[in-house]
Amino acid sequence: MNKRSDSILILTCEHACNRLPAAFKKAVPAEILKTHRAYDIGAYTVFRKLVRFAKPEFSCEGNFSRLFVDLNRTITNKSAFSDYLRELETRTPATAAKIKESATNYWTEYRAAIEKFVDSALKPKTRAAKSAPTIVHLGIHSFTPVLNGKTRNTDIGILYDPSRPAECALAQVIKGEIKRLYPAMKVRFNYPYKGTSDGLTTTLRKKFGPRYVGIEIEINQKFFQR
């Protein structure tokens, strides 16, 4: 995808790794940290390659597992915190409260850094500017091939809001480029998740309006399995 002169590209990878803070590490079984429940397997590899290739004006990735806090959920969403933290709350409430406070602060800092960049980038730099820039945000994710015994029937999912024309157009461009380079690749829109579900892109759409264009790329983890 070629970057237009009036667009600003940002790349993020919310579920980049499976690390946990030391205070929370014992609460999660080591074998779980190796699975898709802890992070988006393979997503960080793709993200780093895209950063090197596309050279976005802003990029960031999560430094902790989504079992600590899910950066792609609003903090008030029940699923922002894992069952492991809720289990810890029943055993040692004081410890759990400190961990939750730390997780909330981390989530807030991550979101604030992105919103600060977008807000600054969308402000007119000079009165002579011919057109206001548009933020193009690609969030890089991956999904497990089988969930709850059901096989996910796609190779790459492109998630967007169908009610937003700019996102519809960009989703078509991305699909077209993938199919041009890899004709056999199965690409589906808003699968295996809906692009309008609670997430970073939905929050940024509400906050910044039509000058923000947010797309999530979901890659089947079968490509990263040995």
Side-chain angles (χ1 to χ4, degrees):
M1 182 182 69
N2 293 324
K3 291 191 288 184
R4 292 163 43 191
S5 59
D6 59 348
S7 67
I8 297 171
L9 177 66
I10 70 174
L11 293 172
T12 67
C13 188
E14 281 63 57
H15 306 141
C17 75
N18 59 355
R19 290 176 57 241
L20 289 175
F24 190 49
K25 206 164 186 178
K26 291 183 179 180
V28 182
E31 60 270 19
I32 295 298
L33 290 177
K34 300 176 184 178
T35 72
H36 69 93
R37 291 178 62 186
Y39 71 120
D40 281 356
I41 298 168
Y44 182 69
T45 298
V46 175
F47 168 76
R48 290 309 307 169
K49 289 182 178 179
L50 285 173
V51 168
R52 289 195 296 270
F53 172 76
K55 295 180 172 57
E57 294 196 36
F58 178 88
S59 66
C60 64
E61 69 273 1
N63 293 319
F64 292 109
S65 167
R66 62 165 143 232
L67 296 177
F68 178 51
V69 64
D70 193 332
L71 297 172
N72 203 37
R73 295 290 176 265
T74 53
I75 202 68
T76 53
N77 189 323
K78 182 181 178 181
S79 63
F81 298 101
S82 69
D83 290 338
Y84 296 103
L85 181 59
R86 284 186 281 275
E87 290 172 7
L88 194 62
E89 286 176 323
T90 63
R91 300 197 307 269
T92 54
T95 299
K98 290 181 180 179
I99 292 171
K100 192 170 186 177
E101 181 182 12
S102 176
T104 301
N105 290 338
Y106 165 64
W107 181 95
T108 301
E109 291 172 4
Y110 183 88
R111 290 294 191 98
I114 297 170
E115 291 188 11
K116 181 179 178 180
F117 176 84
V118 174
D119 184 59
S120 176
L122 290 179
K123 289 179 179 177
K125 299 297 185 288
T126 67
R127 292 184 180 181
K130 293 182 179 180
S131 62
T134 296
I135 292 290
V136 174
H137 172 204
L138 298 183
I140 309 303
H141 299 266
S142 69
F143 63 93
T144 182
V146 180
L147 184 66
N148 299 325
K150 185 175 181 180
T151 299
R152 265 83 171 271
N153 189 23
T154 197
D155 296 321
I156 296 179
I158 301 174
L159 314 187
Y160 65 98
D161 185 341
S163 71
R164 311 186 85 207
E167 292 187 10
C168 292
L170 181 57
Q172 290 288 351
V173 169
I174 294 172
K175 180 177 180 179
E177 283 297 292
I178 294 172
K179 295 296 287 184
R180 181 181 68 83
L181 294 169
Y182 307 100
M185 194 77 71
K186 187 163 189 178
V187 183
R188 294 179 64 176
F189 292 133
N190 288 320
Y191 183 91
Y193 310 105
K194 292 181 179 179
T196 53
S197 298
D198 178 41
L200 176 58
T201 54
T202 52
T203 297
L204 296 177
R205 287 172 192 143
K206 293 174 184 177
K207 188 174 181 68
F208 296 107
R211 289 172 60 198
Y212 166 83
V213 178
I215 302 284
E216 289 183 80
I217 306 297
E218 290 279 353
I219 306 165
N220 196 317
Q221 291 171 8
K222 68 182 181 181
F223 295 114
F224 309 108
Q225 295 174 344
R226 294 181 180 179

